[in-house]
Amino acid sequence: MTTRRVSPTVPTRRVASTLRMYRERKGMGVGEAAAAVDHQSSWLSRIEGMENRPHPNDVQALLMQYDVEQPIIEAVKAVARQSRKRGWWYPYHDVLPDWFGQYLGLESDASTIRAFDGLAVPGLLQTEEYARAMVQALVTRQSSAEIDRFTRLRIERQQRITDDEDPVQFRAVLDEGLLWRQVGGRQVMIEQIERLLEVGQRPNVEIQVVPSSAGAHAGMDGSFVVMDFPPLPTPFPTIDDRIAYVDLLVGAKYFDNPAEVAPYEAVWEQLRGDALSSDESDALLRRIAKRLAAH
């Protein structure tokens, strides 16, 4: 039995979205709403922008101004309390970029993750040695001890896949080219492919490969992730809770507007159609591992 780890990221987003939704329904501007509870507009802007986590009492004061019913207020306050806790990754905060902490929080609470990767194996599927090689290549000017800790953090993330009670549904589409790239050396890559074959047998994991023979495809602009989140029970209001994530050289970009998320979903479905089936992908993985072992 595994214990679900604390993540304040999604609760923070949900509280911010809910406060903004009810403020807009009430027809109040940010400055007007903030003044009604004796604060400046910048205070509310930071809350709605997810820069600050509001105290539950402030959540109640705002929702009362928006004429929200008390059962809903109590539900939102409960989520606001969750948002004020430290994330499970906090012990690694000294080696963790802020933007990656936000990603870990989203990943921790997602119900479904759909990922396309064209350059590297997704973090949730990496072996420790593959992850170490990636960290050494990407994280500069860090000591060996810091590299060890960042590598350990990458591996601890994988509890989301192996959780027996509430595993994330993980759907990955990989470009064949990344499987030939010998990250960490030939033996590390062989072990990484074996790991893909092993984890791909889990009922909550699906791995497909777009073969090189497919030529140009819709994912050639870069890797991305689409996450879905489970709805909260009533009376918490229903909000559209889906995010697209794109890695950048010095950070990341998040999209939560449905009109912005939709193109990523469409591209992912197109890539899935271009990819080999799971069984065909497994056969390709075995052929690649065999070729690597023969050299």
Side-chain angles (χ1 to χ4, degrees):
M1 177 178 176
T2 54
T3 302
R4 186 64 178 271
R5 296 178 294 183
V6 173
S7 169
T9 308
V10 172
T12 299
R13 295 184 71 90
R14 284 174 159 165
V15 170
S17 298
T18 301
L19 290 175
R20 182 171 60 251
M21 177 185 71
Y22 280 118
R23 175 180 60 76
E24 291 174 347
R25 285 185 184 179
K26 184 66 175 176
M28 298 177 72
V30 172
E32 180 186 3
V37 292
D38 299 322
H39 282 285
Q40 296 182 342
S41 60
S42 59
W43 169 81
L44 184 53
S45 292
R46 286 193 295 271
I47 290 174
E48 292 188 1
M50 293 171 288
E51 296 175 42
N52 288 351
R53 304 172 190 175
H55 191 280
N57 291 344
D58 291 323
V59 169
Q60 174 164 313
L62 286 166
L63 293 177
M64 288 179 68
Q65 291 295 325
Y66 306 154
D67 296 328
V68 176
E69 296 178 354
Q70 192 62 36
I72 295 177
I73 292 177
E74 294 301 325
V76 180
K77 284 173 61 180
V79 176
R81 293 187 189 97
Q82 297 173 20
S83 75
R84 295 174 66 81
K85 298 179 180 179
R86 282 180 173 172
W88 64 265
W89 58 89
Y90 181 77
Y92 298 96
H93 73 279
D94 55 321
V95 296
L96 185 66
D98 290 341
W99 63 267
F100 192 51
Q102 183 177 359
Y103 180 83
L104 291 179
L106 295 170
E107 183 180 81
S108 296
D109 280 342
S111 55
T112 302
I113 298 176
R114 290 170 284 172
F116 167 72
D117 276 276
L119 294 175
V121 172
L124 289 178
L125 304 178
Q126 293 175 5
T127 65
E128 184 167 347
E129 291 308 312
Y130 186 102
R132 185 182 306 279
M134 289 291 297
V135 170
Q136 289 173 334
L138 297 174
V139 182
T140 59
R141 297 186 299 278
Q142 289 204 349
S143 68
S144 58
E146 289 171 326
I147 289 174
D148 285 345
R149 294 183 65 229
F150 200 13
T151 300
R152 174 47 47 192
L153 170 64
R154 283 192 169 222
I155 299 305
E156 284 193 27
R157 294 165 55 194
Q158 296 177 5
Q159 180 180 316
R160 286 299 290 121
I161 283 182
T162 58
D163 187 340
D164 291 330
E165 293 188 355
D166 187 26
V168 66
Q169 299 298 309
F170 190 74
R171 307 287 180 257
V173 177
L174 312 179
D175 187 281
E176 180 184 345
L178 72 85
L179 299 168
W180 291 101
R181 183 171 294 107
Q182 295 180 25
V183 175
R186 185 179 293 112
Q187 186 58 38
V188 169
M189 201 63 218
I190 292 171
E191 292 171 359
Q192 177 60 72
I193 292 174
E194 290 172 349
R195 165 67 174 166
L196 293 176
L197 288 166
E198 175 189 354
V199 75
Q201 300 304 307
R202 295 186 64 89
N204 59 305
V205 177
E206 179 183 75
I207 299 172
Q208 293 179 258
V209 180
V210 179
S212 298
S213 59
H217 56 69
M220 296 188 74
D221 277 339
S223 304
F224 61 90
V225 175
V226 178
M227 301 186 195
D228 292 272
F229 302 91
L232 288 171
T234 55
F236 197 94
T238 300
I239 56 176
D240 197 336
D241 224 356
R242 182 170 294 158
I243 293 172
Y245 164 91
V246 180
D247 253 334
L248 303 176
L249 182 61
V250 288
K253 184 70 175 177
Y254 297 89
F255 302 95
D256 57 9
N257 185 310
E260 295 175 320
V261 176
Y264 288 97
E265 292 185 282
V267 168
W268 193 86
E269 290 296 340
Q270 185 174 341
L271 287 165
R272 192 181 183 202
D274 291 339
L276 302 172
S277 68
S278 295
D279 289 343
E280 292 169 332
S281 296
D282 283 356
L284 176 59
L285 288 168
R286 291 189 178 92
R287 289 197 299 272
I288 294 173
K290 185 176 181 179
R291 287 278 300 277
L292 290 172
H295 288 79

